[in-house]
């Protein structure tokens, strides 16, 4: 749909003629503001647009109408002060005082109804477009530049666009004659308005840049005189209607010496005289460059040259005239266009015409619209889904999140032809669409592949500043910004240094340091497993020797080295303050070093930020017993992160005062006094760090280092990034295997749920909860080494908050550990439903039920949702659940060991819990607990994972698990759901750990059988016990799975002969002998083997308890 071309051209010509006379702008002022003139002139150069009104933005003081003003004939209010430039605070204060009669001369006399409002109104531009499609392009460009409120008003004949944004301010300063603010407060408000004015100007500049980027190839040459704007609108060539400019026919070329060519080209291009329809060339001898000039430009150059120096000051291409005057350039006609006459002037070679080529965006748009059925209207909403920008990464184009979203418009049939056409237009082999990143500290990508004919996936490689960066765009966000800081890290004087990068990502700064700065070694800490995988691959891609970079996966507060670094990087935004103590500890105590601290800082607060940073680092050093002088020696301004917020990097120099007392005094460095007992704390940190490096897990307070000697490694757990429900059910759910899911949309909880935040949610603090309280971090359900304590939830959260604040400060040697497993409102009758019990929390956490069981929390598969809060370092006893469950980690890190059902016979389960707890879970001093000889085989079958906020761990029913909070307090939510029909579970189960009815009966039968056989003579017990167990294993076909755990001598504990319960021991011996003798074909399913495994485990556990 388009307006009548003739009518549009007529309206544009009339408007531009009026603008030339400095009228015709339909804004209140009736003319164009000087600050708005550049964008107005730019838009009017496009054949499909002309401006109808504009305002560059203004600060004003407006008086509302009163009874007195209306009586005086004023219908509206009064503009007491208006300025399109930054406002004068003193002038506004004087205007207010004058309106209130506060001047010495009484001013105007105070009107008792006087109401004054201080306003800032941003840039606004009204444009008429010749067609709806063109208008949609301009609206898209405006929104990309930050004018989010832009839109189109369309009728049958005209299309009016409004370009506008929300940078506004409106503050009443006087109400009904009463002053609301002091003069000082008013000046502060004016300062805020001026800050908004500055942001408004920056955004207007971005609009011009975006307009040129989108429409630059389509713009007409600028008019050389005011009257030519109307001429251009009528279709005349710019400048040819000027009375002083002759009409020059033919094709003209400026022949320029090579040394002056660049300067002359820039000049005539800036003036709009460079002929974009022809290519530049060269003279026959190659000494001169031939620049194509428009006929209008040639006319202006001829006139200016004929006037000599007197007319040059008005010429837009002065460098070209100077080159002509000095003999370095000559304006001539091309060979074929020059007239054949006796006075024929010098000629230039014929320049080739440029092939008309659409921009990739225009080609993509044309291809997309051509594929739509004729019955589909090309509305602004549809056109807005055709991208005008994208990010090109290698052979993959990453399109914006709004691209081609509508399934009704872009049907499967259309997309099959659309995506190849888009890829061809953009010159890529693959397409992906961006999506909102996950709301969590790992900021995981949720991009999806749209077109991948080679099934390559989302892995891309791109080269930047001499370094190859690779990543999977569907899993990791690529930061294409911060180029200046990456380059700076490549230039930093760090040869031979050891560097700790606490937020390494895929190696943005690490690789620059290794490749270009000559550092000896980098410890790269990163807790996003997908980024870690990319980092390891990038180290190989860039040929970095393995001994020069040690990648440490996990929270840097847990895995970073201590006392080894000359330089520490803290590249996390909006701030990295939680890791400042880790950075200070990582520096060498004897020599100090440099910390590169990133942060987002509000405009005007840079000095306060740097001084606070110095003081805080000095205090942290004192906590570690380090007498350091601390000074911010440089602040790098990387970019504007948001309006009035800048991304800064502070280079913080830390020097031991014994080495740099003179330096510290000279630069005014902050110094750290020696703290009491801090040397002991540093030694403890160093010892613990060495232990953790070997064990690769966080040791809870009080854990002996000897745990290392018997530590057993575990296989990792499978990971899936943003699986679809079908992928999850066809994979982990069907195969009954644990899986960590990342990047799921579960709400802001992983980012916000600290103990302090949870306590602030309405309805939480005053609720009473039942908490496990223990004087050891190794909770043991079988031996009951804890007690239950009822307390307000807020009290527990206060304890955990205090724990988080003191951890790592030398005051965190806990003597009390807390663990909460929430229960139902009526704990005797219903399971826990924590999100229903705390509706405020439900607003911040979404349970991914569509993936886990394909339903909601209202159907029969859902069982319960449990909130779990625990102290850092706490280890929960190993146990199994009879239902599937998902552990959603929300705060802190958590280590989870998972034992497959086949390992159950080696866990010595008492009910659903194992007596193997604490460090014994991993072996101590190379020895395994003698009283549980089968456990070591079970432990060898375990898989292991470290969960971070936002991770969702699927734990299939009957997979026993041991859980440890690694760093600081931990908060998580467990969601239980049924694998089997509801009728197969006991109706009175409140915790999800009651065995299915059939399994419970089978276990009862096993115990009954053992009691019956115990009354028989020994040879009968051996014979019939062996027959019974062998028959059960053979009938269920689980010999290999259970037999791998139950080996000769493994069930009977190693206790003295006097303490043995002989009848039970003999039955157990018969069982083990029979198990090892059974040898039939293995057709066992894991789930069906659990009953026998638990039955054998029950016998072993019974023996253990009796001994």
């Amino acid at each position: 749909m388009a307006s009548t071309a003739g009518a549009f051209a007529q309206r544009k010509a009339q408007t531009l003629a009026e603008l030339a006379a400095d009228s015709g702008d339909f804004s209140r002022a009736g003319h164009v503001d000087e600050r708005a003139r550049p964008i107005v002139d730019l838009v009017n150069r496009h054949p499909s647009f002309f401006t109808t009104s504009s305002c560059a933005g203004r600060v004003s003081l407006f008086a509302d109408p009163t009874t007195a003003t209306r009586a005086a004939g004023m219908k509206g209010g009064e503009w007491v002060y208006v300025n399109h430039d930054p406002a004068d605070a003193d002038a506004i204060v004087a205007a207010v005082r004058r309106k209130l009669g506060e001047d010495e001369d009484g001013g105007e006399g105070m009107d008792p109804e006087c109401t004054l409002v201080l306003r800032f109104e941003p840039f606004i531009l009204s444009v008429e477009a010749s067609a709806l499609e063109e208008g949609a392009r301009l609206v898209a460009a405006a929104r990309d530049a930050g004018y989010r409120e832009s839109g189109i008003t369309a009728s049958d004949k005209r299309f009016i666009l409004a370009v506008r944004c929300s940078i506004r301010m409106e503050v009443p300063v006087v109400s009904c004659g009463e002053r609301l603010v002091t003069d000082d407060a008013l000046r502060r408000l004016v300062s805020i308005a001026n800050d908004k004015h500055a942001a408004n100007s920056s955004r207007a500049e971005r609009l011009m840049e975006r307009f040129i980027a989108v429409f630059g190839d389509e713009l007409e040459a600028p008019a050389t005189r005011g009257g030519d704007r109307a001429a251009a609108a009528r279709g005349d060539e710019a400048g040819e209607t000027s009375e002083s400019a002759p009409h020059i026919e033919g094709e003209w070329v400026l022949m320029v010496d090579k040394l002056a060519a660049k300067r002359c080209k820039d000049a005539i291009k800036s003036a709009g005289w460079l002929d974009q329809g022809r290519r530049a060339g060269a003279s026959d001898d190659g000494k001169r460059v031939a620049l194509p000039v428009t006929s209008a430009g040639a006319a202006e150059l001829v006139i200016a040259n004929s006037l000599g120096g007197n007319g040059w000051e008005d010429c837009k291409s002065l460098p070209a005239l100077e080159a002509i005057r000095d003999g370095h350039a000559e304006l001539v006609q091309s060979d074929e266009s020059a007239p054949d006459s006796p006075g024929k002037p010098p000629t230039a070679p014929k320049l080739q015409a440029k092939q008309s080529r659409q921009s990739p965006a225009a080609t993509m748009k044309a291809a997309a619209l051509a594929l739509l059925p004729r019955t589909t209207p090309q509305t602004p909403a549809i056109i807005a889904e055709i991208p005008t920008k994208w990010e090109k990464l290698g052979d993959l184009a990453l399109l914006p999140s709004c691209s081609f979203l509508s399934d009704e418009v872009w049907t499967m049939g259309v997309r099959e032809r659309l995506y190849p056409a888009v890829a061809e237009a953009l010159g890529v082999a693959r397409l992906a669409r961006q999506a909102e990143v996950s709301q969590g500290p790992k900021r995981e990508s949720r991009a999806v592949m749209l077109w991948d004919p080679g099934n390559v996936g989302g892995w891309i490689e791109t080269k930047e500043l001499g370094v190859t960066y690779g990543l999977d765009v569907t899993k990791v966000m690529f930061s294409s910004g911060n180029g200046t800081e990456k380059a700076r890290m490549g230039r930093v004087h760090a040869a031979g240094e050891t560097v700790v990068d606490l937020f390494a990502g895929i190696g943005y700064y690490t690789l620059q340091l290794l490749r270009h700065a000559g550092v000896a070694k980098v410890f790269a800490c990163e807790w996003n497993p997908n980024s870690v995988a990319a980092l390891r691959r990038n180290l190989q891609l860039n040929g970095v020797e393995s001994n020069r970079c040690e990648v440490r996966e996990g929270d840097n507060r847990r895995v970073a080295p201590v006392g080894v670094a000359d330089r520490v990087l803290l590249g996390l935004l909006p701030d990295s303050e939680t890791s400042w103590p880790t950075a200070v500890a990582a520096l060498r105590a004897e020599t100090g070093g440099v910390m590169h601290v990133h942060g987002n800082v509000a405009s005007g607060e840079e000095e306060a930020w740097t001084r606070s940073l110095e003081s805080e680092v000095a205090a942290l050093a004192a906590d570690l017993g380090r007498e350091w002088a601390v000074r911010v020696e440089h602040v790098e301004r990387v970019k504007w992160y948001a309006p009035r917020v800048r991304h800064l990097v502070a280079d913080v120099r830390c020097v031991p005062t014994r080495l740099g007392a003179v330096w510290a005094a000279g630069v005014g460095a902050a110094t750290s006094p020696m703290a009491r007992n801090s040397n002991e704390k540093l030694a403890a940190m160093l010892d613990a760090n060495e232990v953790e490096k070997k064990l690769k897990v966080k040791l809870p307070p009080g854990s002996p280092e000897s745990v290392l000697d018997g530590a057993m490694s575990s296989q990792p757990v499978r990971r899936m990034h943003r699986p679809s429900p079908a992928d999850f059910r066809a994979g982990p759910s069907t195969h009954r295997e644990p899986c960590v899911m990342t990047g799921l949309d579960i709400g802001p909880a992983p980012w916000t749920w600290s103990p302090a935040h949870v306590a602030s949610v309405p309805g939480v603090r005053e609720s009473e909860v039942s908490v496990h309280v223990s004087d050891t971090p190794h909770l043991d359900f079988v031996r009951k080494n804890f007690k239950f304590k009822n307390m307000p939830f807020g009290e527990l959260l206060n304890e955990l908050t205090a724990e988080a604040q003191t951890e790592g400060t030398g005051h965190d040697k806990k003597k009390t550990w807390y663990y909460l497993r929430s229960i139902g409102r009526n704990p005797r009758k219903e399971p826990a439903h924590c999100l229903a019990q705390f509706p405020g929390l439900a607003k911040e956490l979404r349970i991914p039920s569509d993936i886990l069981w394909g339903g909601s929390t209202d159907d029969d598969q859902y069982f319960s949702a449990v909130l779990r809060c625990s102290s850092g370092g706490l280890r929960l006893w190993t146990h199994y659940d009879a239902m599937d469950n998902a552990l959603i980690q929300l705060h802190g890190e958590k280590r989870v060991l998972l034992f497959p059902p086949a390992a159950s016979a080696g866990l010595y389960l008492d009910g659903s819990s194992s007596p193997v707890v604490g460090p014994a879970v991993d072996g101590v001093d190379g020895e395994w607990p003698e009283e549980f000889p089968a456990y070591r085989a079970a432990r060898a079958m375990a898989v292991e994972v470290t969960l971070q906020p936002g991770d969702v761990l699927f734990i299939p029913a009957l997979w026993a698990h041991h859980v440890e909070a690694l760093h600081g307090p931990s908060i998580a939510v467990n969601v239980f759901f049924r694998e089997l029909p509801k009728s197969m579970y006991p109706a009175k189960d409140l915790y999800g750990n009651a065995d299915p009815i059939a399994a419970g009966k089978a276990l009862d039968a096993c115990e009954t059988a053992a009691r019956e056989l115990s009354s028989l003579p020994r040879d009968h017990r051996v014979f019939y016990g062996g027959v019974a167990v062998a028959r059960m294993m053979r009938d269920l076909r689980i010999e290999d799975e259970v037999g791998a755990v139950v080996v000769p001598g493994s069930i009977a504990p190693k206790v003295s002969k006097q303490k043995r319960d002989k009848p039970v021991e003999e039955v157990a011996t018969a069982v083990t002998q029979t198990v090892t003798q059974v040898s039939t074909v293995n057709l066992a399913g894991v789930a069906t083997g659990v009953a026998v495994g638990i039955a054998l485990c029950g016998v072993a556990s019974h023996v253990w308890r009796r001994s």
Side-chain angles (χ1 to χ4, degrees):
M1 180 170 62
S3 61
T4 305
F8 174 84
Q10 185 176 3
R11 288 194 297 273
K12 179 171 183 176
Q14 180 179 353
T15 300
L16 296 189
E18 293 171 347
L19 285 174
D22 204 19
S23 63
D25 185 86
F26 296 148
S27 62
R28 181 177 287 106
H31 62 270
V32 178
D33 304 332
E34 282 306 311
R35 284 178 173 267
R37 175 70 70 180
I39 184 64
V40 168
D41 288 345
L42 186 65
V43 172
N44 286 330
R45 284 174 56 192
H46 195 284
S48 297
F49 305 125
F50 70 90
T51 60
T52 60
S53 66
S54 61
C55 177
R58 62 189 172 197
V59 181
S60 65
L61 185 67
F62 184 77
D64 288 347
T66 65
T67 302
T69 59
R70 292 190 184 95
M74 299 174 60
K75 295 182 179 180
E78 177 189 359
W79 296 94
V80 180
Y81 176 92
V82 179
N83 198 338
H84 293 277
D85 293 318
D88 183 338
D90 290 337
I92 291 179
V93 169
V96 171
R97 295 178 64 84
R98 185 173 63 254
K99 292 295 291 186
L100 293 178
E102 296 175 351
D103 288 343
E104 293 181 2
D105 59 0
E108 301 176 1
M110 201 265 288
D111 185 339
E113 296 181 20
C114 176
T115 295
L116 299 177
V117 180
L118 179 65
R119 293 175 176 171
F120 173 74
E121 298 166 278
F123 171 88
I124 187 169
L125 182 68
S126 182
V127 180
E128 181 171 342
S130 63
L132 181 61
E133 293 80 3
E134 295 299 317
R137 291 175 64 200
L138 179 51
V139 167
R143 290 177 177 174
D144 287 343
Y147 291 88
R148 301 295 185 186
E149 297 185 357
S150 301
I152 304 176
T153 302
S155 64
D156 291 340
K157 296 182 179 180
R158 300 184 69 178
F159 310 103
I160 306 299
L161 287 65
V163 177
R164 56 194 177 196
C165 67
S166 58
I167 306 179
R168 298 184 180 90
M169 186 179 88
E170 186 166 326
V171 183
V173 295
V174 175
S175 178
C176 296
E178 181 181 355
R179 178 191 276 268
L180 303 179
V181 295
T182 64
D183 286 351
D184 288 342
L186 183 57
R187 288 187 174 91
R188 177 58 183 150
L189 289 173
V190 174
S191 175
I192 294 172
N194 285 340
D195 287 341
K196 290 182 176 291
H197 195 294
N200 176 70
S201 298
S202 297
R203 190 167 295 187
E205 291 175 4
R206 292 202 300 273
L207 176 62
M208 289 189 65
E209 293 171 359
R210 190 62 193 150
F211 188 90
I212 292 171
V214 175
F215 299 104
D217 293 342
E218 305 166 18
L219 299 180
E220 297 171 341
T224 57
R225 285 163 176 74
D228 291 343
R229 293 192 182 96
R234 292 191 300 271
D236 299 334
E237 187 172 358
E240 293 185 358
T241 57
S242 169
E243 293 179 3
S244 59
H247 187 75
I248 301 181
E249 299 286 354
E251 295 181 354
W252 288 82
V253 177
L254 187 65
M255 301 297 296
V256 190
D257 290 349
K258 281 188 174 182
L259 292 177
K262 176 68 168 61
R263 190 162 58 95
C264 289
K265 180 180 178 181
D266 291 343
I268 62 175
K269 184 176 181 180
S270 176
W273 298 342
L274 186 67
D275 188 346
Q276 302 287 356
R278 290 180 290 158
R279 297 182 182 277
S283 61
D284 293 338
D285 59 8
K287 294 181 178 181
R288 283 192 163 190
V289 176
L291 300 177
V293 179
T294 63
S295 57
E300 291 287 346
L301 286 171
V302 168
I303 293 171
N305 196 40
S306 66
L307 294 175
N310 295 329
W312 286 11
E313 65 275 7
D314 295 328
C315 184
K316 295 182 178 181
S317 189
L318 185 59
L321 278 172
E322 291 175 342
I324 293 173
R325 179 197 63 185
D326 297 338
H328 297 302
E330 187 177 13
L331 182 67
V332 296
Q333 283 185 293
S334 63
D335 285 336
E336 296 183 11
S337 63
D340 190 8
S341 65
K344 179 178 179 179
T347 60
K350 174 69 175 178
L351 299 182
Q352 293 182 351
K354 288 183 179 178
Q355 294 180 353
S356 59
R357 186 181 65 179
Q358 280 187 314
S359 67
T363 302
M364 175 168 43
K365 176 183 175 182
L369 295 178
L371 291 172
L372 294 179
R374 293 182 179 179
T375 56
T376 301
Q378 296 180 9
T379 63
I382 292 176
I383 293 173
E385 290 191 9
I386 303 174
T388 57
K389 63 177 181 178
W390 52 88
E391 189 170 11
K392 193 171 181 180
L393 302 170
D395 68 343
L396 181 145
L398 189 59
L399 307 181
S401 58
C402 61
S403 304
F404 307 118
L405 279 179
S406 175
D407 293 331
E408 292 76 17
V409 176
W410 316 104
T411 62
M412 185 176 296
V414 170
R415 284 174 171 156
E416 286 177 355
R417 293 175 293 163
L418 171 66
Y419 293 149
V422 171
E424 182 179 0
L426 303 185
V428 296
R430 294 173 290 160
L431 298 175
R433 180 171 58 215
Q434 189 56 277
E436 182 183 6
V437 297
S438 63
Q439 297 187 53
K442 289 188 288 186
R443 302 287 290 166
E444 295 163 307
S445 170
R446 291 178 177 163
V448 295
M449 296 300 296
L450 296 179
W451 192 64
D452 183 17
N455 292 320
V456 177
W459 181 264
I460 62 94
E461 292 176 9
T462 183
K463 197 159 189 176
E464 188 175 308
L465 298 171
V467 169
T468 299
Y469 294 103
L471 72 155
D472 188 331
V473 297
T474 66
K475 299 177 181 178
V476 179
M477 291 291 297
F478 180 68
S479 176
S480 56
N482 305 339
T484 57
E485 185 62 12
K486 293 175 193 171
R488 191 170 78 100
M489 288 298 99
R491 298 190 306 267
V492 72
H493 299 296
E497 290 186 352
T498 296
V499 179
V500 174
D501 188 347
L502 294 180
F503 302 95
I506 66 169
Y508 297 111
Y509 303 124
T510 287
L511 291 169
Q512 293 292 336
L513 288 164
L514 289 166
R515 285 296 304 274
H516 302 313
V519 300
K521 184 166 186 173
V522 175
F523 290 89
C525 305
E526 174 56 41
W527 73 348
N528 184 338
N530 296 313
S531 296
V532 168
L535 172 58
R536 295 186 191 278
R537 190 166 171 181
N538 289 337
L539 291 168
Q540 295 177 349
L541 286 173
N542 288 279
V544 177
E545 300 90 337
S546 59
N547 64 337
R548 293 187 62 210
C549 185
E550 182 177 322
V551 179
R552 295 195 168 191
E553 182 175 354
D555 190 321
N556 59 51
R557 292 168 293 183
R558 177 172 60 86
V559 302
V562 174
V564 302
D566 303 296
R567 191 176 301 270
V568 181
L569 275 60
L570 297 101
L572 180 69
L573 296 178
D575 68 72
S576 55
E577 188 169 356
T578 56
S579 291
W580 290 359
T582 306
V584 172
L587 289 172
R588 298 182 191 272
E590 66 277 10
T591 57
V594 177
M595 295 165 51
H596 298 285
V597 183
H598 293 237
N600 286 343
V601 182
S603 178
E605 298 180 6
E606 294 180 11
E607 181 68 20
W609 180 69
T610 56
R611 297 287 81 83
S612 173
L613 177 57
E614 290 173 345
S615 300
E616 183 67 20
V617 171
L620 291 169
D623 282 344
L624 295 177
R626 299 175 176 180
E627 292 186 272
W628 281 358
V630 179
R631 180 69 173 175
V632 173
E633 60 183 10
H634 173 73
V635 175
E636 184 74 13
R637 291 166 177 81
V638 180
K639 64 179 183 295
W640 286 106
Y641 185 85
R644 301 187 68 248
V645 176
R646 195 190 290 272
H647 174 190
L648 303 180
V649 181
D651 298 345
V652 186
R653 175 72 65 178
C654 304
V655 179
T657 52
R658 61 181 176 81
L659 299 178
V662 175
W663 170 83
V667 300
T671 57
S672 53
M674 180 65 73
R676 293 190 300 270
N677 302 321
S678 50
N679 282 323
E680 296 178 5
K681 180 196 168 187
L682 181 58
M685 288 182 65
L686 288 167
D687 290 343
N689 189 259
E690 291 304 311
V691 170
E692 290 159 24
K693 276 200 300 184
K694 299 175 187 175
L695 187 58
K696 296 184 180 178
V697 297
K698 179 75 172 181
L699 295 178
S703 297
E705 182 176 347
S706 57
V707 73
L708 294 174
D709 300 330
M712 181 177 290
S713 61
S714 306
Q715 295 299 315
V717 175
R718 177 184 179 182
R719 289 183 175 270
M720 299 181 75
H721 186 70
R722 300 192 66 214
S724 67
D727 289 340
F728 172 74
R729 284 191 280 276
S733 182
T734 297
H735 296 298
R736 313 304 300 155
E737 62 180 8
C739 171
V740 177
M741 290 172 281
T742 59
L744 299 183
D745 181 12
I746 59 176
W751 188 256
T752 59
W753 275 25
S754 65
H757 174 79
V758 173
S760 70
V761 174
V764 170
R765 180 175 291 277
E766 60 275 11
S767 298
E768 187 170 278
V769 291
S770 178
V771 182
H772 300 68
V773 181
S774 177
D775 58 2
T776 172
H778 313 307
L779 296 195
D780 185 345
F781 186 81
V782 176
R783 302 177 183 88
K784 301 293 191 299
N785 65 346
F786 54 84
K787 61 183 179 180
F788 289 100
K789 179 180 179 181
N790 289 338
M791 64 172 68
F793 199 175
E795 181 181 335
L796 169 64
L797 294 168
N798 288 343
E799 291 285 350
L800 298 182
T801 299
E803 173 186 314
Q805 293 171 344
T806 59
E807 184 176 31
T809 64
H811 309 290
D812 56 346
K813 295 181 179 179
K814 290 183 58 62
K815 294 185 178 179
T816 303
W817 280 262
Y818 299 93
Y819 169 63
L820 166 68
R821 183 215 188 273
S822 69
I823 54 180
R825 286 194 179 96
N826 187 343
R828 296 179 181 273
K829 294 185 178 180
E830 66 175 13
H833 303 291
C834 64
L835 298 186
Q837 291 167 248
F838 302 107
L841 297 179
K843 297 176 182 178
E844 300 178 347
L845 176 64
R846 174 189 171 274
I847 294 174
S849 57
D850 55 331
I851 293 176
L852 295 173
W853 67 87
S856 69
T857 55
D858 296 324
D859 58 35
D860 280 349
Q861 276 192 270
Y862 167 77
F863 176 73
S864 68
V866 178
L867 180 62
R868 298 183 187 271
C869 304
S870 68
S871 296
L874 184 135
R875 300 178 76 156
L876 190 63
W877 62 88
T878 303
H879 66 282
Y880 76 92
D881 299 299
M883 295 184 185
D884 287 351
N885 77 86
L887 179 59
I888 307 173
Q889 186 66 16
L890 300 171
H891 182 78
E893 287 187 299
K894 188 169 287 181
R895 176 192 180 220
V896 185
L897 277 176
L898 299 116
F899 299 84
S904 59
L907 297 178
Y908 298 84
L909 294 168
D910 186 351
S912 63
S913 303
S914 171
V916 186
V917 298
V921 169
D922 297 303
V924 180
D925 291 330
E927 298 291 335
W928 298 86
E930 292 186 356
E931 65 269 37
F932 309 117
Y935 173 72
R936 185 169 187 174
R939 178 63 178 80
M941 301 170 69
V943 295
E944 180 176 351
V945 67
T946 298
L947 299 180
Q948 296 155 352
D951 288 347
V952 179
L953 172 63
F954 169 61
I955 306 177
L958 311 178
W959 277 74
H961 39 283
H962 177 85
V963 180
E964 176 185 5
L966 291 180
H967 181 80
S970 172
I971 299 178
V973 167
N974 245 150
V975 183
F976 291 84
F977 50 101
R978 299 177 177 92
E979 172 202 2
L980 306 175
K982 185 177 181 179
S983 60
M984 298 185 70
Y985 295 94
K988 295 184 179 181
D989 181 16
L990 300 177
Y991 297 97
N993 60 0
D995 298 307
I997 296 171
K1001 290 179 179 179
L1003 294 177
D1004 291 343
C1006 287
E1007 291 195 10
T1008 300
R1011 284 195 300 270
E1012 293 293 337
L1013 289 175
S1014 66
S1015 65
L1016 297 175
R1018 185 180 188 284
D1019 56 344
H1020 287 71
R1021 294 196 297 270
V1022 171
F1023 178 81
Y1024 289 110
V1027 170
V1029 172
R1031 180 180 298 172
M1032 182 181 293
M1033 294 180 66
R1034 183 174 60 250
D1035 290 347
L1036 295 176
R1037 298 178 178 178
I1038 57 171
E1039 306 90 358
D1040 287 351
E1041 286 87 345
V1042 178
V1045 179
V1046 185
V1047 295
S1050 67
I1051 291 184
K1054 296 179 180 179
V1055 294
S1056 66
K1057 188 173 182 180
Q1058 292 78 4
K1059 292 185 178 181
R1060 287 181 179 175
D1061 187 312
K1062 291 185 178 180
V1064 177
E1065 179 216 357
E1066 291 166 359
V1067 173
T1069 302
V1071 169
T1072 56
Q1073 291 173 349
T1074 305
V1075 166
T1076 56
Q1077 293 168 3
V1078 173
S1079 177
T1080 59
V1081 66
N1082 176 24
L1083 299 175
V1086 172
T1088 59
V1090 177
V1092 172
I1094 293 177
L1096 294 173
C1097 181
V1099 175
S1101 181
H1102 184 52
V1103 172
W1104 168 72
R1105 289 197 304 273
R1106 292 288 297 277
S1107 62

